[in-house]
């Protein structure tokens, strides 16, 4: 049996990067997964891949900046399953600019995608978890929430907000059987890496050098492994915490 056998998981940002890796690993561990994203063709391809492996996946297109679409997502989940065991929030965007160049549009995009959507998703799915008397919520923040990082000002601020509200929500709902935790990834090799780094070997090496202990970038599966742990019953005594997965980042770099 898998570590998540017969659990129902909702994964946002599931059509790329960390979300995709988590969704596929959840299926591998026995979960039935609702994949949430905006890329319909990628979502359909992932569902086919999951079906071919003998797993069960459902793709729901949803713009998490839109409250009404989140409610439609909830209705689609309710039509298929009678409860949700795991909510994994990982959808996010990155604006990488000097502070004085970041504008209102950048701020709104980061606020609505990287923070408000997490709040709305928790408010939407927690009532069902309360009714079931159990549930695990895992929010993806970032080491930017606790370490200073140039050019990621709004991003880091919203990730800090995610970490903060996760701990507060954990405190309110712990006695109702719901656990809420954050994963704080360091530099991960995903599509969110800014183009100027992807196209510049010196910049790439500079990012790798910040991981001064292990000396490499993380891969999406490096986040999926702790996501499995936090979604499983193995972590039944773990709530209200941040798990930093950064390969040993050194702030001095």
């Amino acid at each position: 049996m898998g570590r998540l056998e017969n659990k129902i998981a909702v994964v946002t940002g599931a059509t790329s990067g960390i979300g995709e890796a988590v969704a596929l690993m959840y299926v591998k561990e026995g979960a039935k997964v609702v994949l949430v994203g905006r890329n319909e063709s990628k979502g359909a391809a992932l569902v086919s891949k999951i079906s071919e492996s003998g797993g069960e996946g459902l793709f729901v297109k949803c713009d998490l900046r839109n409250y009404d679409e989140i409610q439609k997502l909830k209705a689609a989940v309710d039509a298929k399953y009678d409860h949700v065991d795991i909510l994994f929030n990982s959808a996010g965007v990155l604006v990488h600019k000097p502070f004085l160049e970041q504008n209102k549009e950048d701020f709104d995009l980061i606020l609505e995608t990287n923070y408000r959507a997490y709040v709305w998703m928790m408010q939407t799915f927690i009532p069902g978890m309360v009714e079931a008397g159990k549930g695990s919520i895992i929010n993806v923040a970032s080491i930017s929430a606790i370490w200073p990082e140039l050019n990621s000002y709004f991003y880091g601020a919203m990730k800090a907000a995610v970490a903060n509200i996760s701990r507060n929500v954990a405190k309110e709902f712990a006695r109702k059987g719901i656990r809420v935790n954050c994963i704080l990834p360091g530099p991960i090799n995903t599509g969110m890496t800014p183009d100027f780094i992807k196209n510049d070997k010196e910049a790439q090496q500079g990012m790798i050098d910040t991981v001064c202990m292990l000396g490499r970038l993380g891969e999406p599966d490096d986040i999926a492994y702790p996501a499995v742990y936090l979604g499983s019953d193995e972590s039944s005594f773990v709530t209200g915490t941040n798990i930093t997965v950064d390969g040993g980042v050194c702030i001095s770099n």
Side-chain angles (χ1 to χ4, degrees):
M1 287 181 62
R3 296 162 69 191
L4 303 176
E5 198 71 25
N6 295 320
K7 290 186 181 292
I8 312 300
V10 174
V11 178
T12 73
T15 56
S16 64
I18 289 171
E20 178 181 353
V22 168
L24 293 176
M25 196 172 289
Y26 275 5
V27 170
K28 183 178 178 181
E29 292 293 340
K32 300 171 184 178
V33 179
V34 179
L35 302 101
V36 182
R38 293 183 295 174
N39 189 325
E40 289 186 271
S41 59
K42 186 64 182 292
L46 283 170
V47 170
S48 294
K49 181 177 181 178
I50 289 168
S51 297
E52 290 169 4
S53 71
E56 184 175 317
L58 169 70
F59 174 73
V60 180
K61 183 180 180 182
C62 181
D63 181 352
L64 296 170
R65 297 175 68 187
N66 186 313
Y67 182 81
D68 291 338
E69 288 199 24
I70 290 177
Q71 302 316 301
K72 290 177 182 177
L73 161 64
K74 178 63 163 55
V77 173
D78 289 346
K80 180 76 173 179
Y81 302 111
D82 62 3
H83 71 284
V84 169
D85 298 289
I86 304 166
L87 172 60
F88 185 86
N89 284 313
S90 70
V93 294
L94 172 64
V95 176
H96 203 264
K97 298 178 184 177
F99 180 65
L100 295 180
E101 293 179 17
Q102 297 204 359
N103 56 37
K104 180 182 183 301
E105 288 72 26
D106 297 330
F107 182 84
D108 289 345
L109 176 64
I110 297 290
L111 169 67
E112 294 168 8
T113 308
N114 292 10
Y115 179 67
R116 192 179 69 183
Y118 285 47
V119 174
W120 282 349
M121 286 292 290
M122 288 193 291
Q123 288 182 328
T124 298
F125 283 92
I126 282 176
M129 292 181 172
V130 170
E131 184 176 350
K134 61 178 181 176
S136 175
I137 298 173
I138 304 142
N139 292 322
V140 176
S142 167
I143 60 165
S144 296
I146 56 175
W147 296 96
E149 183 177 1
L150 290 174
N151 299 321
S152 298
Y153 304 99
F154 299 158
Y155 179 85
M158 296 310 158
K159 290 300 187 180
V162 167
N164 180 275
I165 198 170
S166 297
R167 187 168 178 82
N168 289 335
V169 173
K171 184 173 183 179
E172 179 173 349
F173 291 98
R175 300 297 177 92
K176 296 180 180 178
I178 300 168
R179 297 181 295 107
V180 186
N181 293 289
C182 261
I183 297 177
L184 276 58
I188 305 295
N189 185 24
T190 71
M192 285 184 69
T193 303
D195 288 339
F196 80 89
I197 293 178
K198 293 178 185 176
N199 301 325
D200 186 327
K201 289 186 178 180
E202 185 175 339
Q204 291 174 23
Q205 188 59 51
M207 188 164 73
I208 292 170
D209 288 344
T210 65
V211 190
C212 59
M213 293 188 188
L214 292 185
R216 69 170 176 87
L217 298 182
E219 296 297 330
D221 277 357
D222 290 318
I223 307 303
Y225 288 115
V228 168
Y229 167 70
L230 290 174
S232 75
D233 295 338
E234 297 165 8
S235 59
S236 63
F237 199 57
V238 180
T239 194
T241 195
N242 297 326
I243 295 183
T244 302
V245 186
D246 66 0
V249 164
C250 295
I251 189 170
S252 61
N253 288 50

